[in-house]
Amino acid sequence: MSETLNKIRTNVVVRARKSEELSKRISRATKQFKKAFQNQDVLLSDIYATELECLVESYEKNGKLLQESVAQLDGDDLHRWN
């Protein structure tokens, strides 16, 4: 039981860190996109727009996995206290 709980906790930490990393990457890509758009660089704008789409998709998937891991922790805590 303890080993499973440790794995779930590790998953939560890993997913939370990945969310932070993806958030930073989204912020950087957004700034790069805005700059390319302002400079009317169509090719770079398209590249950064595609990168943003991929990053946001990864962020959303990671968020769902993080929620599932947290729900597992919550469920495990409920079982231990009942």
Side-chain angles (χ1 to χ4, degrees):
M1 181 86 151
S2 178
E3 185 178 326
T4 302
L5 186 58
N6 284 336
K7 285 182 183 179
I8 294 170
R9 287 179 178 159
T10 299
N11 273 344
V12 169
V13 171
V14 168
R15 295 287 173 201
R17 287 183 181 156
K18 182 156 181 116
S19 287
E20 288 177 27
E21 174 194 325
L22 286 167
S23 180
K24 289 175 185 175
R25 289 176 64 190
I26 288 169
S27 180
R28 281 192 299 266
T30 300
K31 289 175 187 174
Q32 291 170 323
F33 171 79
K34 287 179 181 179
K35 186 176 180 179
F37 187 78
Q38 287 173 347
N39 292 334
Q40 298 180 346
D41 190 331
V42 176
L43 180 60
L44 273 180
S45 294
D46 285 347
I47 290 169
Y48 291 129
T50 302
E51 181 182 7
L52 274 168
E53 287 176 21
C54 293
L55 288 170
V56 168
E57 185 178 312
S58 294
Y59 184 83
E60 289 171 348
K61 285 180 183 177
N62 187 68
K64 288 178 184 175
L65 293 171
L66 177 57
Q67 286 177 335
E68 290 171 8
S69 294
V70 169
Q72 285 179 321
L73 271 182
D74 288 345
D76 186 67
D77 286 343
L78 287 175
H79 291 332
R80 282 191 293 142
W81 294 111
N82 288 332

